[in-house]
């Protein structure tokens, strides 16, 4: 405990006290304060190779890259075991599992008691966002997992600079994590937003264990943002530059594993590249936004890395991601080829040798070789499209906000909200089919407002009211759009090519932002006139044209009845303005 003594006289006294308290409860053999240095990382990687936590991948093809195989019962977020522990149950809302803070603390104390015996306790100071940004916020994660430390080092600004900022600010989110015995029956992810605290036990999986990510940057931050007048959102941020050199930034919310990473790193179709269009990446998962002095919303990506879904990532779907993964990456639960390269379904035609559990892969068994939620962790700076603006302390001004879900039927390719209130309704009404990013059934349609169902740290009714409150007299708010890349035809095939071709939809949005084209006005919003979307080189069947660019009044009538019922589930806290907007649309649908 000698390192602690060094800090004990400093302004970090309260932090030291908390670390000692946690050590008394969890009884680690050693305490290590992480400085984030290369030497520290190398030592951790070596130790993890020695104890089997990491397996070195092919050094020639993937230098300094490692594979981690998790416990097979610990492969995704656990929404049913994730709680928001506010004093009043209604503040957490029907969108969250709730537990009384005292009960939750008692329960967690008994799990944490002695859980680090024989282990090292790592103290990980981190900053979410550029170290010198007024929009950034810090945290300290205490963990007994070296894998978590190595991932936090990639995903956040971790170590000495973060500790220095904590010393300056004096405030930080306290996160306590232990993998425990990885028993799913002794697994809980608890949030105490009123005390800016997180406690996570029994899982080493990213979304449950890298506390800077979902727990801090979304659940705790959304709560904090509500009282401080900003927004913490499950959104990618991309930059788009047209041939004239005009730059715009777009923030887009999609549920987990619905293509945020692919869209954030999009490479435009050939014709666009030739004409001088360019996409740059600010972030692929989380966006913190606040109004600037000019009334526009300014956004930062609080993360420093990508924790992306591996399956489906290929030269076709996301060449920038593949280029990022050529070195210095951690892969979790992917398969490996016979020459020890990482492999996953959709990457290429090779047949892997070993599956994600470490067994010889049996092609004929018909099971995926990589886990469907297998992941890569890599520094954002390795991405060829990464924008230096991601490091700008002021953030980037947002011209358009995009909501989108995975909807096989009904929802057209793109439409624009009439105004901000309608845009909030469009976000609130979002639905999507569930994916492997969380445990539970896959492919079930559920409401996932603003893609925040698993991540909003307070009552959705209050969250929608908070969104509505940005519509001030001096505000210059972004336009709001909804997209659906996943519409299927009667034969069950996807109707839109997606990936790079999504550029065509982004271009239409920018034309709308610039007031260059008009639209078809419908009760659900403004749909593009098909001739205003550049479809050169895209072959669309008649069915695709009708379904992607048309709207089915009868189907939307049912949808709006269901949206009305959904809003009513929140009772009297649901803002009247949102209910009125829903009713007005329902009426105009007849
Ligand atoms: C993620 C998720 O890991 O949303 O980003 O599950
Ligand atoms: Mn996510």
């Amino acid at each position: 405990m000698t390192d602690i003594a060094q800090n004990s006289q400093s302004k970090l006294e309260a932090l030291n006290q908390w670390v000692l308290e946690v050590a008394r409860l969890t009884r680690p053999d050693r305490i290590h304060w992480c400085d984030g240095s290369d030497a520290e990382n190398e030592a951790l990687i070596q130790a993890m190779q020695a104890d089997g936590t990491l397996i070195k991948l092919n050094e020639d093809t993937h230098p300094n890259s490692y594979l981690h195989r998790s416990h097979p019962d610990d492969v995704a977020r656990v929404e049913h075991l994730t709680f928001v522990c506010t004093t009043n149950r209604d503040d957490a809302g029907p969108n969250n599992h709730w537990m009384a803070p005292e009960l939750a603390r008692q329960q967690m104390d008994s799990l944490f008691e002695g859980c680090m015996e024989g282990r090292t306790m790592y103290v990980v100071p981190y900053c979410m966002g550029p170290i010198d940004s007024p929009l950034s916020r810090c945290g300290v994660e205490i963990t007994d997992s070296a894998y978590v430390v190595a991932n936090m080092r990639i995903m956040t600004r971790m170590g000495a600079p973060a500790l220095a900022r904590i010393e300056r600010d004096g405030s930080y989110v306290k996160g306590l994590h232990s993998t425990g015995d990885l028993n799913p029956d002794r697994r809980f992810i608890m949030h105490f937003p009123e005390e800016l605290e997180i406690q996570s036990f029994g899982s080493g999986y990213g979304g449950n264990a890298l506390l800077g990510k979902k727990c801090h940057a979304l659940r705790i931050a959304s709560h904090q943002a509500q009282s401080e007048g900003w927004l913490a959102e499950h959104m990618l941020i991309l930059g788009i530059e047209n041939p004239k050199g005009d730059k715009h930034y777009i923030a887009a919310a999609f549920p987990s594993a619905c293509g945020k990473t692919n869209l954030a790193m999009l490479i435009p179709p050939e014709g666009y590249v030739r004409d001088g269009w360019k996409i740059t990446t600010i972030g692929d998962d989380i966006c913190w936004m606040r109004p600037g002095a000019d009334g526009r919303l300014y956004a930062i990506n609080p993360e420093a890395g990508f924790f992306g879904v591996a399956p489906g990532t290929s030269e076709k779907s996301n060449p920038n991601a593949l280029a990022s993964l050529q070195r210095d990456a951690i892969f979790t639960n992917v398969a490996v080829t016979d020459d020890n390269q990482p492999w996953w379904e959709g990457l290429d035609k090779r047949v892997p040798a070993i599956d994600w559990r470490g067994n010889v892969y049996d092609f004929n068994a018909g099971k995926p070789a990589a886990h469907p939620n297998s992941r890569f962790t890599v520094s954002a700076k390795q991405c060829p499209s990464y924008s230096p603006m991601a490091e700008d302390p002021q953030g980037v001004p947002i011209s358009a906000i995009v909501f989108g879900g995975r909807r096989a039927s009904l929802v057209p390719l793109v439409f624009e909200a009439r105004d901000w209130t309608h845009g909030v309704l469009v976000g609130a009404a979002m639905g999507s089919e569930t994916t492997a990013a969380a445990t539970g059934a896959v492919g079930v349609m559920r409401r996932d407002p603003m893609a925040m169902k698993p991540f909003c740290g307070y009552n959705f009714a209050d969250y929608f009211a908070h969104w509505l409150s940005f519509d001030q007299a001096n505000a210059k708010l972004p336009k709001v759009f909804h997209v659906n890349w996943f519409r299927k035809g009667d034969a069950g095939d996807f109707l839109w090519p997606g990936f790079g071709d999504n550029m065509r939809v982004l271009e239409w949005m920018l034309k709308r932002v610039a007031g260059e084209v008009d639209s078809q006005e419908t009760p659900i919003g403004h749909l593009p006139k098909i001739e205003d979307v550049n479809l050169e080189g895209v072959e669309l069947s008649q069915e695709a044209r009708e379904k992607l660019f048309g709207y089915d009044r009868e189907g939307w009538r049912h949808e709006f009845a269901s949206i009305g019922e959904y809003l009513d589930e929140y009772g009297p806290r649901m803002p009247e303005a949102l209910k009125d907007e829903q009713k007005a649309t329902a009426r105009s649908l007849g």
Side-chain angles (χ1 to χ4, degrees), residues 77 205-207 213-214 218 234 254-257 260 284-286 303 307-309 373 375 435 437-438 454-455:
R77 284 184 291 100
Y205 172 74
K213 194 171 177 63
K214 304 300 185 181
L218 289 175
H234 191 206
F254 299 89
S256 309
K260 284 204 297 299
D284 80 327
D285 195 41
I286 302 182
E303 300 191 284
F307 179 66
V309 178
N373 192 35
R375 298 281 178 145
T435 67
F455 307 121

Side-chain angles (χ1 to χ4, degrees), residues 333-380:
N333 292 339
V334 299
V336 285
T337 59
D338 53 7
D339 62 347
N340 208 23
Q341 295 189 44
W343 190 91
W344 49 82
E345 274 64 27
L347 175 62
D348 56 32
K349 296 237 153 27
R350 287 174 298 171
V351 176
I354 310 284
D355 72 10
W356 67 276
R357 294 169 186 256
N359 298 325
V360 171
Y361 176 59
D362 175 6
F363 181 76
N364 296 319
K367 288 198 182 141
H371 188 275
N373 192 35
S374 52
R375 298 281 178 145
F376 52 78
T377 320
V378 74
S379 165

